[in-house]
Amino acid sequence: MRGNDDARRTAIADFDADARVVLDWLKHEGTVASNQLGAMGFCIGGHLAFRAALQSDMKATASCYPTGVQNGKLGRGTADTIQRFSDIQGELLVIFGTLDPHVPEAGRETVIQALKSAGTVHNVLIYEADHTFMRNDGYRYDPEVTDTAWAEIIAFFKRVFT
């Protein structure tokens, strides 16, 4: 609850600045090749993964049930993420659940159509699952769909980074 509250009060520019600092650190850390940068996130982190993908040095991004991309809801302010899809130079894997009340069918379609219109290299996977279906607690958890999604995510990163 505290993390969600903090996220609601965070400026979008601060999220973006944090991503840039992490990417710069990774590029100079020594064990990560500068052309091998990727991101992954869930829920608000899925939206933040999209924001990281806007960085020109990102090669691959996996975004699982990203909230707020379709309507700009992110932290304090309105995010221009969907309007900037054409800035994405790396590949995207986007995962949605059909039962997700935070990203309903109209929201999913808005994101998918914007990705297509922007010419972004992407793959969208849609499972019959709820929001946070990969979090192994509570009624929304679906272990079978989670295993399938993880296999797709791992295959995606292996393909892009080899």
Side-chain angles (χ1 to χ4, degrees):
M1 297 304 287
R2 180 177 173 200
N4 283 333
D5 186 53
D6 288 345
R8 277 189 288 278
R9 291 188 280 138
T10 301
I12 296 161
D14 291 341
F15 286 129
D16 292 344
D18 287 349
R20 185 70 258 158
V21 167
V22 170
L23 293 171
D24 288 343
W25 182 84
L26 286 169
K27 287 169 76 172
H28 296 97
E29 189 271 337
T31 61
V32 178
S34 63
N35 66 346
Q36 299 291 299
L37 296 174
M40 181 173 174
F42 301 84
C43 187
I44 186 177
H47 193 154
L48 294 174
F50 263 103
R51 299 293 300 180
L54 297 171
Q55 302 289 329
S56 63
D57 47 1
M58 288 290 293
K59 188 168 184 178
T61 301
S63 177
C64 301
Y65 32 86
T67 57
V69 174
Q70 76 274 17
N71 57 17
K73 186 174 180 181
L74 178 67
R76 193 176 71 230
T78 302
D80 61 352
T81 310
I82 202 165
Q83 291 83 11
R84 294 184 56 204
F85 279 177
S86 61
D87 293 347
I88 297 172
Q89 296 177 26
E91 289 191 44
L92 291 170
L93 174 64
V94 186
I95 296 175
F96 292 116
T98 59
L99 308 174
D100 187 343
H102 302 285
V103 190
E105 183 176 5
R108 292 190 304 270
E109 283 304 312
T110 297
V111 171
I112 292 166
Q113 290 307 314
L115 287 168
K116 288 178 182 176
S117 294
T120 305
V121 178
H122 68 280
N123 186 25
V124 176
L125 302 175
I126 301 175
Y127 298 105
E128 188 174 333
D130 206 331
H131 186 71
T132 71
F133 69 86
M134 296 176 77
R135 188 174 68 200
N136 66 347
D137 68 345
Y139 69 93
R140 298 181 286 192
Y141 177 55
D142 187 322
E144 278 186 43
V145 176
T146 295
D147 287 349
T148 302
W150 273 118
E152 293 285 349
I153 292 164
I154 291 166
F156 166 73
F157 281 122
K158 279 185 177 179
R159 180 184 57 74
V160 173
F161 289 127
T162 52

